[in-house]
Amino acid sequence: MAIASWPGSLFALDCAALTDTDIPFALASEVTTRRPGEASTTRLQQMQVFRRGGEVTTFTVDSPTIYLRTRGADSLFPVEALFSTEPTGPRKWSYSIGPTVYLARGQPVSYSADMKRADGTLQMAARMTLELLESGTFELSGCRFKVLKYRRTLEGLADRHPVSNSEELTFAPVLRTTLASILRTGDIEVVSAPTAISLDFKHIE
């Protein structure tokens, strides 16, 4: 699989086009992992977002050959996930609620979420809670976006082993994309902080 490159020198970043059209864009982030008693580590990551009608396809790229591809109505409710390191077929998500569920501030919504492998076997069954914390604005590369901050928690079983985590998500509705996140699993924290939004895409294969 190959994604073409859109050199930033050929296309100037147009903030209005990002919010008023479905042009693809790239989000560069620094991802920092913190573990108790250890020095934190930081890596660079690029998320490539393609909005086509009612579907958003996202490539989260760590290197030209290592990426995660997701598809769904937006980044909060992906229905398909494909890891480049496990190319046997995409995993499928299903939910007991739809992506257009209304969330009022301070009123969490709970729902079930299942993930199945390409062969149809169940990989994970979880109970999730999504809560709207606050709304605001977020400025990146000279563009300003309205954002909603959510907390999402997960409790369940993955391959018959207990899984539990909590994640804070800064979501831009007009982009249908999560711009920033803080994932906490036990005492491990992974912080994804955006550094730029552009039309400069890394090549992946």
Side-chain angles (χ1 to χ4, degrees), residues 118-193:
D119 62 6
T121 58
L122 183 66
Q123 181 175 1
M124 184 171 71
R127 193 69 186 170
M128 303 182 81
T129 300
L130 189 63
E131 179 183 4
L132 176 61
L133 301 178
E134 60 182 348
S135 59
T137 58
F138 198 100
E139 187 169 342
L140 189 62
S141 299
C143 298
R144 186 178 293 271
F145 308 101
K146 292 182 179 179
V147 295
L148 301 172
K149 187 173 182 180
Y150 295 98
R151 178 185 294 116
R152 182 172 61 195
T153 59
L154 180 151
E155 298 281 348
L157 294 175
D159 292 326
R160 301 182 180 180
H161 297 288
V163 290
S164 175
N165 60 51
S166 175
E167 191 168 16
E168 293 178 7
L169 305 162
T170 301
F171 178 76
V174 71
L175 300 177
R176 290 157 41 186
T177 303
T178 298
L179 299 180
S181 64
I182 303 174
L183 174 65
R184 298 181 177 93
T185 304
D187 53 8
I188 301 174
E189 183 177 84
V190 180
V191 179
S192 178

